[in-house]
Amino acid sequence: MPAEAKADSKNTRQASRSPAHAPQPASPPLTERQEARRRRILHASAQLASRGGFDAVQMREVAESSQVALGTLYRYFPSKVHLLVATMQDQLEHMHGTLRKKPPAGDTAAERVAETLMRAFRALQREPHLADAMVRALTFADRSVSPEVDQVSRQTTVIILDAMGLDDPTPAQLSAVRVIEHTWHSALITWLSGRASIAQVKIDIETVCRLIDLTTPDEGR
């Protein structure tokens, strides 16, 4: 068990040092031209989703807006669900860059994580159609979309660990981070469905972030 925990922590640290959207080791890295094409596709996806939500993202329209052939689009993203989950990862990466420029100011790790997640939540709140499209894609995702879903999870983990100020989290802290991620995702769903107010989301996020205090090792342990 200790060996597994060390491996988990090591993988998380490695993820925090690499772009969450980077290709898996088995895949060749994208060329500069391919990366630019991918960026155009993700931008087109986000623009269409911002205007009309999940149903507005049609693969043919994405191809036309990003100036790529439809067949090329499908080579990058086999389905609309793959595309929108990748769009969410891209949006989270952008949020992470913004958060790093202006880090949270809370005195404790729990306060900083709560502030960070609420700032990310409010960014999504400003684009409700886009948020709804991305969350619906995550909900619809099956096993074929696992790599993209894993990238979203890793990016969220990195954002939370950065707010905590941790480079080497313990297994208990990683467990707390996973629970916080689940709560944040659930809060997005309940807010988008009109079953929770922003005030209730804030209370839930602040409550679950208290797990950080419970899993912080005592000094000297």
Side-chain angles (χ1 to χ4, degrees):
M1 185 67 181
E4 294 175 359
K6 284 185 177 179
D8 197 2
S9 296
K10 181 179 179 182
N11 290 337
T12 301
R13 293 196 304 274
Q14 289 173 339
S16 69
R17 291 194 294 265
S18 302
H21 69 275
Q24 297 299 313
S27 302
L30 297 179
T31 65
E32 185 176 341
R33 184 176 179 182
Q34 289 171 329
E35 182 60 31
R37 185 182 297 131
R38 185 178 186 276
R39 301 294 315 168
R40 294 201 309 273
I41 291 170
L42 291 172
H43 178 74
S45 170
Q47 289 293 309
L48 289 169
S50 294
R51 291 198 290 267
F54 185 86
D55 293 336
V57 181
Q58 301 297 323
M59 297 297 271
R60 187 171 297 279
E61 288 190 38
V62 172
E64 291 174 357
S65 297
S66 57
Q67 299 180 324
V68 301
L70 186 59
T72 300
L73 172 60
Y74 277 108
R75 284 199 294 274
Y76 280 82
F77 303 102
S79 73
K80 178 165 77 171
V81 170
H82 286 80
L83 173 58
L84 282 169
V85 174
T87 300
M88 184 166 194
Q89 188 279 324
D90 187 63
Q91 293 292 311
L92 287 172
E93 185 179 338
H94 178 72
M95 288 180 197
H96 191 199
T98 301
L99 289 164
R100 279 180 162 171
K101 291 177 183 176
K102 188 179 178 182
D107 293 330
T108 68
E111 290 174 351
R112 292 193 298 273
V113 172
E115 179 187 338
T116 293
L117 293 179
M118 286 308 300
R119 283 168 61 183
F121 190 92
R122 290 189 180 97
L124 293 172
Q125 184 187 7
R126 290 191 289 271
E127 296 283 358
H129 291 308
L130 174 59
D132 181 67
M134 296 186 301
V135 170
R136 284 178 65 182
L138 277 177
T139 304
F140 296 154
D142 58 21
R143 289 186 178 181
S144 70
V145 198
S146 291
E148 289 82 2
V149 173
D150 287 345
Q151 287 178 346
V152 168
S153 179
R154 283 196 294 272
Q155 184 65 54
T156 309
T157 297
V158 169
I159 289 172
I160 293 173
L161 290 178
D162 267 10
M164 292 171 68
L166 281 182
D167 292 323
D168 192 14
T170 66
Q173 287 171 324
L174 286 174
S175 181
V177 168
R178 285 191 293 271
V179 175
I180 291 169
E181 287 180 31
H182 297 327
T183 302
W184 187 69
H185 181 240
S186 177
L188 275 175
I189 293 173
T190 54
W191 172 73
L192 287 166
S193 64
R195 293 183 287 118
S197 65
I198 298 298
Q200 185 60 57
V201 167
K202 186 172 186 292
I203 291 171
D204 291 349
I205 294 298
E206 289 175 347
T207 299
V208 75
C209 284
R210 291 174 190 157
L211 286 174
I212 294 172
D213 296 331
L214 297 177
T215 57
T216 299
D218 293 334
E219 289 189 12
R221 179 179 296 179

